[in-house]
Amino acid sequence: MTESRAMSMRDRDCVDWMNDHDWYSIDKERDRFVLTEKAPEEARRSFEKWKRINNLDWKD
């Protein structure tokens, strides 16, 4: 297994926040995803991990 494939399998939980469309929306004004109040804690952790992996320094 290649390193990139191993990385993607290990970190696939970083997109769990996208499992339910009620958990996120797109803020067109700021051109980014945002979590809704309906997002459970595991979706919030997943979203933070996704931001870290993608070097996104969003503070909201």
Side-chain angles (χ1 to χ4, degrees), residues 1-14 49:
M1 184 178 305
T2 65
E3 177 62 28
S4 61
R5 182 174 166 106
M7 175 74 85
S8 65
M9 288 178 69
R10 185 177 65 230
D11 293 325
R12 71 176 175 197
D13 65 330
C14 74
K49 184 176 183 178

Side-chain angles (χ1 to χ4, degrees), residues 11 15-16 21-22 24 29 35 40 44 49 55-56 58:
D11 293 325
V15 292
D16 286 348
H21 293 291
D22 288 336
Y24 68 94
E29 186 175 305
L35 294 181
R44 296 184 185 286
K49 184 176 183 178
N55 296 317
L56 301 171
W58 303 341

Side-chain angles (χ1 to χ4, degrees), residues 7-37:
M7 175 74 85
S8 65
M9 288 178 69
R10 185 177 65 230
D11 293 325
R12 71 176 175 197
D13 65 330
C14 74
V15 292
D16 286 348
W17 60 273
M18 296 183 98
N19 286 342
D20 188 325
H21 293 291
D22 288 336
W23 295 349
Y24 68 94
S25 64
I26 299 172
D27 183 330
K28 291 181 181 180
E29 186 175 305
R30 296 186 296 174
D31 192 31
R32 65 176 72 169
F33 292 106
V34 293
L35 294 181
T36 67
E37 292 180 9

